[in-house]
Amino acid sequence: MPSYERLGALLDPASTVLLTVECQQGVVGPDSALPELAREARSSGALRNVARLVAAAHESGVQVIHAVAERRPDGRGANRNARLFRAAERLPVHQLTGSTAVRVAPPIEVAEEDFVVRRLHGLSPIHGTDVDALLRNLGCRTLIVTGVSANVAVPNAVFDAVNLGYTALVPADAIAGVPAEYTPAMIRNTLALVATIATTDEVLGCLARARERR
């Protein structure tokens, strides 16, 4: 884990953005299309930690972006070039535009100043969406990546952020995947090679000190 000094240097509220990845009702809520992932996100405490980070970001002046995956009722524009996409079409809950399934899930609170970026295609919350342009216009240097899943969308977000020149920071206890043991393996063997890994409490501590200095 990084020192508080190094972590604090990365977490300047003026140049830090917090990204929540697919923390939506149809993914991590009680009626999820992916109940195993939803259970893991909740039982591990990851979803609660995302909510804590979002609340602290709102207090600290850190911009929050919620990345939501959805599809049109007619499926137009959606990918079908991987098994994951074809399996999603057969799930009992579809992430349909305008439905409850694509609303950000409690206990995460969406503030008026937050951005909600929706995508209709692909695997990444960043590539092919408005996120990169927003980050550049916001003066982002450090992107905190949270949410689900550690299997696909979270590593996609981290890789894209690094490739685009941002410093990626991953609170290890604010992401989740399945099976449960896969997430720490992904963090240790992959994400730790390209991102700064911290805990939710460490990030919260740095943001609290930043508020005290204002």
Side-chain angles (χ1 to χ4, degrees):
M1 295 296 178
S3 68
Y4 268 121
E5 290 75 15
R6 178 168 171 251
L7 195 59
L10 290 177
L11 292 173
D12 177 0
S15 58
T16 298
V17 174
L18 172 65
L19 179 71
T20 76
V21 178
E22 296 182 24
C23 293
Q24 57 201 76
Q25 296 268 31
V27 176
V28 297
D31 299 319
S32 169
L34 303 164
E36 184 183 3
L37 178 59
R39 284 193 298 270
E40 178 60 25
R42 292 177 175 276
S43 65
S44 68
L47 189 61
R48 179 176 59 85
N49 284 333
V50 175
R52 295 170 65 207
L53 288 163
V54 168
H58 291 157
E59 294 175 4
S60 305
V62 169
Q63 180 66 56
V64 178
I65 299 178
H66 305 280
V68 173
E70 59 183 47
R71 60 184 286 123
R72 288 166 49 117
D74 60 11
R76 288 173 64 83
N79 289 70
R80 293 181 177 84
N81 58 335
R83 189 175 69 176
L84 177 66
F85 301 123
R86 296 190 294 273
E89 292 179 349
R90 299 191 296 271
L91 292 173
V93 177
H94 290 168
Q95 315 297 322
L96 298 181
T97 300
S99 70
T100 301
V102 297
R103 295 178 186 168
V104 176
I108 300 169
E109 294 188 1
V110 180
E112 185 177 354
E113 64 267 23
D114 294 358
F115 291 102
V116 179
V117 176
R118 305 179 183 279
R119 78 178 194 275
L120 291 170
H121 60 83
L123 299 170
S124 174
I126 298 178
H127 178 73
T129 74
D130 289 338
V131 170
D132 180 39
L134 291 173
L135 294 178
R136 293 190 185 282
N137 289 344
L138 291 164
C140 177
R141 297 182 64 186
T142 300
L143 182 66
I144 306 172
V145 180
T146 67
V148 298
S149 72
N151 305 72
V152 178
V154 166
N156 259 263
V158 171
F159 295 149
D160 284 349
V162 173
N163 285 332
L164 289 166
Y166 305 106
T167 296
L169 191 155
V170 178
D173 52 356
I175 67 171
V178 290
E181 59 270 19
Y182 181 77
T183 300
M186 165 59 79
I187 292 169
R188 181 174 60 254
N189 296 305
T190 302
L191 298 185
L193 302 178
V194 295
T196 297
I197 307 300
T199 67
T200 293
D201 284 344
E202 286 173 335
V203 174
L204 293 177
C206 287
L207 293 181
R209 283 194 292 278
R211 290 197 300 273
E212 292 169 1
R213 290 196 295 269
R214 287 193 302 189

